[in-house]
Amino acid sequence: YKSMKWAGVSEKKSIWYGGLYGWTFLLGTEFLDGISSGWGASPSDLLANTFGASMFIGQQLAWKKQRVVLKFSYWPTKFAQYRPDLLGDSHWNRWLKDYNGQTYWLSANLNDFGLRSKLLPSWLNIALGYSVDGLIGGDRNPLFDSEGNSLPFFKRKTELYFSFDIDLKKIKTRSKFLKSVLYTASFIKVPFPAIGFTNGNFKFHYLHY
């Protein structure tokens, strides 16, 4: 979208071309998964891609800005050591492969919805997060690893979080370089205290990544 606008393309065309380009780019990944015997096509992945592209297109058409944004956070877990072939063999690839350490967030700035207050900084967001725990396999956890060694039992769990966040794009600076850095890093969820909900139980986290 930004590239289209920079090139002088109209607003509406920039929105549609930009949103659909992101969707088409990831369609290539889904196609490669579909013809791979080790993976296979995933309708839920296609649905998630469509949801993400639609979020951008819909908000830009309705509000001319992104009031709710998707964000990402990661923290290493104990699970990758049991399936390094699947979950990553180093920190450099585990952040991408180990879903147990990933949290995906919907982050919204209250000021963008008209909830303005002198007590709330303009950069403060509220965020809802989704993660998993105990996954060392795709559809199910295997009993043995690729070398035939028995694996521990882990209960597979879904985790939901409520937390605060920082909209890095709203931090004021005169430096064009720093502004570009903040804009580029704005997809990362800033660590904050959080309330987690797992298997019917609430838990307070002093700091959640």
Side-chain angles (χ1 to χ4, degrees), residues 1 4 9 18 30 37 43-44 50 59 65 76 80 89 100 119 127-128 147 154 198:
Y1 166 76
M4 293 287 177
V9 180
E30 310 308 342
S37 60
S44 59
T50 303
Q59 292 187 92
K65 66 190 307 183
D89 53 11
N100 302 283
L119 300 177
L128 297 176
E147 298 179 355
F154 296 111
T198 307

Side-chain angles (χ1 to χ4, degrees), residues 25-86:
F25 178 81
L26 286 173
L27 182 63
T29 301
E30 310 308 342
F31 176 78
L32 292 175
D33 283 350
I35 61 176
S36 171
S37 60
W39 296 97
S42 172
S44 59
D45 281 357
L46 281 172
L47 182 63
N49 297 345
T50 303
F51 173 75
S54 299
M55 266 192 67
F56 170 79
I57 293 173
Q59 292 187 92
Q60 207 67 29
L61 289 173
W63 299 320
K64 294 182 172 53
K65 66 190 307 183
Q66 300 295 298
R67 294 185 179 183
V68 181
V69 294
L70 288 164
K71 290 198 174 188
F72 173 84
S73 64
Y74 168 78
W75 188 252
T77 73
K78 63 181 180 182
F79 302 106
Q81 62 182 310
Y82 298 105
R83 298 290 307 281
D85 55 323
L86 182 69

Side-chain angles (χ1 to χ4, degrees), residues 131-143:
S131 185
V132 293
D133 191 73
L135 271 66
I136 57 173
D139 296 328
R140 64 185 67 86
N141 288 351
L143 299 177

Side-chain angles (χ1 to χ4, degrees), residues 152-202:
F153 170 78
F154 296 111
K155 186 176 182 180
R156 298 162 67 97
K157 296 179 290 186
T158 295
E159 301 175 325
L160 300 175
Y161 295 96
F162 173 81
S163 183
F164 292 102
D165 185 28
I166 294 177
D167 186 347
L168 298 178
K169 298 190 298 295
K170 289 187 180 293
I171 296 178
K172 296 180 179 180
T173 174
R174 294 182 178 179
S175 170
K176 290 184 178 180
F177 173 76
L178 185 56
K179 186 178 293 186
S180 298
V181 171
L182 292 173
Y183 184 88
T184 304
S186 62
F187 74 95
I188 298 174
K189 164 72 168 62
V190 178
F192 259 99
I195 298 175
F197 180 76
T198 307
N199 290 351
N201 298 313
F202 287 95

